[in-house]
Amino acid sequence: MRKAEKSGFNGCSLMIGVLVFMLACGAVLFAPVDATRAGTITSCSGCHGMPPVDAAYRNISTGQFVGSHNTHSWQRSNGDFNCGKCHKMPTTFNHRNGNIDFVANINNSRLIARYKNVTSFPQTATPVFDTCVNVNCHFENTTPQRGNAALSRATADMPQTCDTCHNSSVGSDNYHTKHLAYFGGSPNSCKKCHPDHAVEANPFGHATSAGLRGLDFNFSAFPNDGGTGAYNGDASYPLYLYNTNRSGSCSGLYCHSPGTKATSYDSPNRTPIWNSPFGTSCIGCHLGDAESGSPMNTGSHGIHIGNGALSIIGCVKCHGATVSDNRTIKDMSMHVNKKVNISFDPAIGGTNGLYSGSASPMAKDVGTAYGRCQNIYCHSNGTTTTPPFNNYTAIWGSTLPTDCTGCHGGQVGSSRVLSTNNHRKHIDAAYNPKLGAAFGCVECHAKTVQNNTTIINKLNHVNGFKDYSGLRAGHISGGTCNTVYCHSSGQRAPAFRSMVAWSDTATTFDCKGCHGAYGTATLSLTPPAGYVASQFGEPNYNNYSSSDRNWYNSHYKHVEAASDCRKCHYNTSQTGTSLVPGTTLHANTQKNISFDTAVAGNNNPSYDDQSRRCSNVYCHSNGQKNGTVYISPRWGGAPFTCDSCHPISGLSGAHAVHVGGMIPNFYNYTGNHPVGATYRFGCANCHPLDKLTFHNNGLVNLALSKNDAGIGYLRSRNGATNDNGPNAAGSGITGTSGVSIKCTAVYCHSNGYSTNLIYATTPDWYGGTFTGDKCANCHGNYPNSTIAGSPGHYDTTNWLGSGVAGGHIVGIHYENIYNGATGLRTAGNTDTSSHGLASNSTTISCNLCHNDTVTTSANDQSVNCSTAGCHDTGTRLKGNAAIASAVTHVNGQVDVKFASINVIAKAQLRKPEAGWVRTGSYKAAGSFDTYSTSLAKATYSAATKTCSNVSCHFQQTIKWGDVGGKTTCLSCHTSL
């Protein structure tokens, strides 16, 4: 190619100034003369000046004239000026012919290029200037009018100057227009791909080589500096002037690269071809989003907008100053600028967001190290949509864990368990023992995830909205769960609980928070009338039915400790306060009845949800291992009593004698509650009071210890000191439960004394019975005769210090009554007998002092009465001692009540003592003395152990137990 070496080109005005020059020179210039003659013209500059110089008028002295030669003249390489581009060149210097002559085609242009569309016009002093058309040096555009001021070379004017030739052609080319838009028009845009003529000394010189070369390219300007830019299309002359089917492509350019490097640019995704549309998406260079089919994968783009993205993060979220959506450039100055322009969308943090520590908006040089995003919603735990956000590490180009721990935290077992707000209480059963099986994310966020680590709907992730849906989801209001089954009473038609705010991690709920919530702040419904306050979390809705629901409830009858929940919900509840780890049988809309066979037995215990009845449940049986009889109570049915499971009539062993048909009112029933002479001992006299431990435990537990709490006074008088079971020392029990059991240290089988109790060994519970004298088995009969007791009842050796047996027995001095003649009276049933005829002599027996307990005097089996010749056989048998009232027998007290009788004595003094009234005469047959005051007037002081006003003792106060000489004849007969 040829290069111009003279000053530039300002429009295509013709060199018509030659006309003025010829008029001035006249005929002399062109007259035939010898070349050596003095004054002969020997070069063009002799007339025109070389190059011709423009002036406002024809200056004869300088040769200047009006025209546009200054901007069109150029020199050849040999120093000559090439006027022949436009003018028909003469062969001699004598070429004046009165015309201005032009070549047939200016500059040998592709099209016929002419000035005024002529090849010659007359020379005149007042020419009318015109324009050139089709000249190749003006890009085949119509030139400015000849003679106008030269085009400006000022930098500010260069766009307009360049547009004189290039604008119309470029403006009709959409591909130039697209490129010009990025860099602000010529010459700023032009120099990105072509030589920058504006900075050359001769800015218009490039036009002089038109027709001699192809189109020049130069890709050294920003942003393509540092690359190996090239264009491979045919840009030869004259093709580049008219060919609209340009099919060349560029390579090695930053403009058409993925934009990731500052040098040695990577090739674009598609090769840009000049005359082919590049598309409106970003696929050509960067690739696009997932919808484009060719998603970007540089840095971390793939995980943000690619097929593997966990959310739909549009380009505008991070490049909001550059783009307006995933396909539209908003500000071209921030595109193809060798910068990564970060401008976070206000929805994800806006100016609060940071990249590499710099606030948005910011720009980093392409090719430099990736930075870290901070304080943006996209990489936060999602608990808020307004800054500040928690700063989880998210470095561009690196990968976050696939288990959600990068932002939220993950499931149990992950490197960082999700713990925001109340999540951990719902997903970590070890952290929350009341949970059972951990909730999966899908159970509350079903529209977003399909399991704990997989996003199922990208639109619902990182969208500024907490999607709340799923099997366990209900309604969220103000950050609080409402109408959520997993926070309800758990019934078929549940009552929903009012939970605290999701962000309230301090408040915790026990089982009463949901199941037993009536009467607490967590229940959103008014409790029905008659509800029972929950003690351990047992459901406490009232047991009732209504038109809209049936609420059957017997929980309060079954639950006396938190651990009781496990008995019927064995696979759900672990302790009553925690659930079986990993169980799915909680908050699953089912009752989940499963029995603890250790309590309910192994006979296939079951519950029928339709009939609401339990079957084969040991808890509702007679409690016997052998011959177990089950009942089937209805849940929510009528209350049961002890008799419902343990029918009194069917109790084994000696229950009938001890219970007497009584149905206990409650479990730890103590004491004796007899009716008449029938004993009715409470169960807790022989069985443990600890219902939680010992009831329904599959065993017949016996407990006689006087040291147990709450046992009552009767049992406190036992001799047993522990409940270690039969045959254990201190247990007061021998034998084998269910086979043979005897008690050895129970008050109810003792001598009944207030102190120094002597305990009898009972008959075998299973079929045994007392033989012989029943009274003698416990007290001795008389007391202290065979079993140690109070000598006041009977003393075998030292009754009155005389060394003989005696006591409160038979009658007053019955063995020493003088018959009035010779000898002593003897026993019998005549009016002369010492005793035996009630109308003549009062028999001293248990009934006189313990009249509330024993009301008859017959006592054939006592040690005194049963002797040979007395009450031993036949008609002499009067009857055995009998308990008239069990109320005062075996009640833990020494009950003294004197009989309401007037004592009759056969033993007469010669002169009756005061108060005694004689019937008959002294010692006569049928005679006797009667005390005038009823024995019932007598009193006994347990504190001093003294009897007072006893007619038998002549109204003297006598201390009980004073024998062996302490009590003498004078103790009663003070006047002897």
Side-chain angles (χ1 to χ4, degrees):
M1 293 186 291
R2 297 177 62 188
K3 184 176 181 181
E5 298 174 353
K6 192 67 177 174
S7 62
F9 183 56
N10 184 24
C12 189
S13 297
L14 297 175
M15 299 174 67
I16 308 304
V18 175
L19 174 62
V20 177
F21 175 77
M22 290 180 175
L23 293 173
C25 292
V28 177
L29 178 61
F30 297 100
V33 292
D34 187 81
T36 60
R37 184 182 303 171
T40 301
I41 300 301
T42 59
S43 68
C44 296
S45 60
C47 295
H48 305 290
M50 270 297 153
V53 179
D54 298 333
Y57 61 95
R58 170 57 173 156
N59 188 327
I60 298 175
S61 299
T62 62
Q64 295 175 335
F65 50 89
V66 178
S68 298
H69 287 92
N70 285 356
T71 55
H72 285 74
S73 301
W74 57 88
Q75 286 181 297
R76 301 177 192 272
S77 59
N78 60 5
D80 292 340
F81 290 91
N82 189 3
C83 301
K85 295 281 187 178
C86 300
H87 295 285
K88 181 178 180 181
M89 296 302 292
T91 57
T92 68
F93 294 111
N94 183 15
H95 56 267
R96 180 179 180 193
N97 62 357
N99 292 322
I100 305 298
D101 297 318
F102 293 88
V103 296
N105 184 11
I106 297 174
N107 201 32
N108 197 28
S109 296
R110 180 180 68 88
L111 302 175
I112 299 300
R114 292 178 177 174
Y115 175 74
K116 288 189 176 183
N117 202 23
V118 298
T119 58
S120 180
F121 61 87
Q123 186 175 0
T124 176
T126 57
V128 177
F129 297 106
D130 208 331
T131 61
C132 294
V133 295
N134 294 335
V135 288
N136 54 12
C137 43
H138 280 274
F139 237 75
E140 298 184 346
N141 287 317
T142 300
T143 68
Q145 181 174 300
R146 170 192 171 276
N148 287 351
L151 296 176
S152 172
R153 299 183 183 184
T155 301
D157 297 331
M158 287 308 295
Q160 181 179 358
T161 299
C162 295
D163 285 351
T164 301
C165 296
H166 300 287
N167 186 58
S168 60
S169 174
V170 171
S172 64
D173 183 341
N174 289 331
Y175 307 110
H176 271 106
T177 301
K178 189 170 184 177
H179 286 67
L180 291 171
Y182 269 92
F183 300 104
S186 62
N188 289 331
S189 291
C190 304
K191 67 184 180 183
K192 304 300 182 182
C193 303
H194 300 285
D196 187 5
H197 298 300
V199 299
E200 295 174 355
N202 184 7
F204 309 119
H206 63 285
T208 62
S209 59
L212 302 177
R213 59 173 173 78
L215 192 63
D216 284 339
F217 294 91
N218 187 320
F219 298 102
S220 61
F222 178 88
N224 296 312
D225 51 322
T228 58
Y231 174 77
N232 65 3
D234 186 354
S236 62
Y237 178 84
L239 189 64
Y240 72 81
L241 289 174
Y242 66 89
N243 182 19
T244 58
N245 189 28
R246 303 181 179 98
S247 59
S249 61
C250 296
S251 61
L253 303 181
Y254 175 79
C255 309
H256 291 289
S257 77
T260 57
K261 293 182 178 180
T263 60
S264 302
Y265 315 117
D266 291 333
S267 299
N269 181 47
R270 293 179 182 175
T271 300
I273 299 175
W274 184 261
N275 67 341
S276 297
F278 211 44
T280 58
S281 70
C282 306
I283 292 177
C285 294
H286 303 287
L287 299 180
D289 57 12
E291 291 184 2
S292 72
S294 299
M296 293 179 68
N297 56 15
T298 56
S300 294
H301 281 106
I303 202 65
H304 285 72
I305 63 173
N307 293 322
L310 300 180
S311 180
I312 303 301
I313 305 295
C315 305
V316 72
K317 296 294 185 182
C318 302
H319 305 289
T322 304
V323 300
S324 56
D325 56 38
N326 286 2
R327 292 170 173 78
T328 306
I329 303 300
K330 179 171 69 174
D331 186 345
M332 293 181 178
S333 68
M334 294 190 180
H335 190 224
V336 195
N337 62 350
K338 274 196 172 179
K339 297 285 185 182
V340 178
N341 293 95
I342 308 295
S343 180
F344 294 118
D345 190 302
I348 66 170
T351 57
N352 294 283
L354 304 176
Y355 182 83
S356 290
S358 297
S360 167
M362 61 83 64
K364 87 174 193 73
D365 294 334
V366 297
T368 56
Y370 291 138
R372 171 187 177 189
C373 295
Q374 293 175 273
N375 201 28
I376 57 173
Y377 173 76
C378 318
H379 290 290
S380 72
N381 57 19
T383 59
T384 179
T385 56
T386 57
F389 303 105
N390 57 303
N391 289 323
Y392 288 134
T393 299
I395 299 177
W396 188 260
S398 64
T399 57
L400 289 175
T402 58
D403 58 359
C404 306
T405 57
C407 294
H408 302 286
Q411 61 189 345
V412 175
S414 62
S415 60
R416 184 168 62 85
V417 178
L418 176 60
S419 59
T420 54
N421 295 322
N422 276 308
H423 276 106
R424 190 160 190 179
K425 293 179 183 177
H426 290 71
I427 68 170
D428 189 346
Y431 179 79
N432 178 14
K434 302 179 184 69
L435 180 62
F439 285 16
C441 303
V442 70
E443 296 182 78
C444 296
H445 305 289
K447 291 183 179 180
T448 303
V449 300
Q450 67 180 16
N451 54 41
N452 286 354
T453 57
T454 307
I455 304 297
I456 195 174
N457 188 336
K458 300 175 184 179
L459 292 175
N460 289 341
H461 189 224
V462 195
N463 63 347
F465 178 77
K466 295 180 179 68
D467 156 55
Y468 189 62
S469 60
L471 178 65
R472 300 185 189 273
H475 174 67
I476 287 287
S477 176
T480 301
C481 292
N482 291 314
T483 64
V484 183
Y485 176 79
C486 42
H487 290 293
S488 73
S489 61
Q491 300 159 257
R492 286 194 180 102
F496 299 107
R497 308 314 189 199
S498 297
M499 292 291 99
V500 296
W502 179 248
S503 59
D504 181 357
T505 58
T507 301
T508 59
F509 292 97
D510 57 14
C511 299
K512 286 188 286 187
C514 290
H515 298 291
Y518 280 118
T520 69
T522 63
L523 184 59
S524 58
L525 297 179
T526 301
Y531 82 96
V532 178
S534 178
Q535 299 298 311
F536 306 100
E538 70 277 10
N540 68 335
Y541 49 89
N542 196 18
N543 183 33
Y544 84 110
S545 298
S546 66
S547 60
D548 64 331
R549 66 185 69 191
N550 293 323
W551 283 5
Y552 300 104
N553 188 14
S554 294
H555 281 101
Y556 66 93
K557 301 177 185 177
H558 290 70
V559 179
E560 295 187 354
S563 58
D564 285 344
C565 301
R566 178 177 172 84
K567 294 176 181 178
C568 301
H569 302 284
Y570 184 76
N571 293 328
T572 305
S573 176
Q574 183 176 39
T575 63
T577 57
S578 64
L579 299 182
V580 174
T583 183
T584 59
L585 305 180
H586 186 233
N588 66 344
T589 73
Q590 303 298 315
K591 292 184 176 69
N592 304 301
I593 307 298
S594 54
F595 294 102
D596 181 358
T597 55
V599 176
N602 292 307
N603 193 27
N604 300 316
S606 63
Y607 173 79
D608 188 318
D609 194 36
Q610 295 300 315
S611 65
R612 304 187 307 282
R613 291 186 181 274
C614 294
S615 300
N616 297 335
V617 178
Y618 180 80
C619 318
H620 293 292
S621 73
N622 60 3
Q624 298 181 21
K625 285 190 172 181
N626 298 319
T628 306
V629 177
Y630 300 96
I631 63 171
S632 297
R634 183 176 69 82
W635 186 258
F640 271 31
T641 64
C642 298
D643 192 57
S644 301
C645 293
H646 309 284
I648 301 303
S649 60
L651 292 178
S652 64
H655 277 102
V657 176
H658 288 72
V659 178
M662 176 188 68
I663 299 174
N665 294 325
F666 50 89
Y667 181 83
N668 52 346
Y669 207 34
T670 61
N672 180 17
H673 311 274
V675 174
T678 302
Y679 297 100
R680 294 172 39 157
F681 291 103
C683 304
N685 285 293
C686 302
H687 299 287
L689 280 77
D690 185 356
K691 179 180 179 181
L692 301 181
T693 304
F694 296 104
H695 193 220
N696 291 330
N697 66 350
L699 301 173
V700 176
N701 298 103
L702 301 176
L704 305 179
S705 175
K706 64 181 179 181
N707 298 320
D708 293 346
I711 55 176
Y713 181 68
L714 192 66
R715 185 169 150 187
S716 72
R717 305 211 65 206
N718 287 354
T721 56
N722 64 65
D723 298 325
N724 294 336
N727 306 310
S731 68
I733 307 169
T734 61
T736 302
S737 179
V739 178
S740 174
I741 288 293
K742 293 181 179 181
C743 300
T744 61
V746 289
Y747 171 79
C748 44
H749 292 286
S750 73
N751 60 8
Y753 282 61
S754 59
T755 59
N756 300 318
L757 287 167
I758 301 298
Y759 302 99
T761 297
T762 67
D764 192 335
W765 181 266
Y766 300 100
T769 184
F770 282 110
T771 59
D773 183 5
K774 289 186 177 181
C775 296
N777 281 277
C778 295
H779 304 286
N781 193 6
Y782 294 109
N784 197 41
S785 60
T786 56
I787 294 177
S790 170
H793 284 105
Y794 184 81
D795 193 326
T796 59
T797 61
N798 200 16
W799 171 243
L800 291 176
S802 60
V804 296
H808 288 76
I809 58 174
V810 184
I812 299 174
H813 299 301
Y814 73 98
E815 291 181 325
N816 301 298
I817 299 175
Y818 178 59
N819 60 14
T822 58
L824 301 175
R825 294 186 185 278
T826 60
N829 61 356
T830 67
D831 59 2
T832 61
S833 300
S834 61
H835 82 279
L837 184 63
S839 60
N840 284 5
S841 176
T842 299
T843 300
I844 298 176
S845 189
C846 303
N847 65 303
L848 290 188
C849 299
H850 303 288
N851 197 251
D852 271 348
T853 306
V854 181
T855 57
T856 62
S857 61
N859 190 2
D860 288 345
Q861 293 178 317
S862 71
V863 293
N864 292 85
C865 299
S866 61
T867 59
C870 290
H871 299 285
D872 58 349
T873 186
T875 59
R876 292 194 292 271
L877 293 175
K878 301 301 180 180
N880 297 323
I883 303 300
S885 173
V887 175
T888 54
H889 189 227
V890 194
N891 66 350
Q893 305 293 327
V894 176
D895 292 284
V896 177
K897 182 180 180 182
F898 295 100
S900 181
I901 64 172
N902 292 86
V903 175
I904 301 173
K906 195 67 174 175
Q908 295 174 304
L909 294 176
R910 190 174 295 276
K911 179 181 179 182
E913 293 277 355
W916 289 90
V917 177
R918 179 160 291 171
T919 298
S921 60
Y922 177 70
K923 301 296 182 179
S927 64
F928 54 87
D929 293 345
T930 303
Y931 199 77
S932 59
T933 303
S934 172
L935 180 62
K937 299 291 186 179
T939 61
Y940 172 76
S941 171
T944 61
K945 295 185 182 295
T946 56
C947 296
S948 302
N949 298 321
V950 178
S951 53
C952 309
H953 294 288
F954 284 73
Q955 307 296 100
Q956 300 302 309
T957 298
I958 305 298
K959 186 173 183 179
W960 181 258
D962 276 357
V963 296
K966 293 181 180 180
T967 300
T968 66
C969 296
L970 294 176
S971 296
C972 297
H973 303 286
T974 58
S975 61
L976 288 177

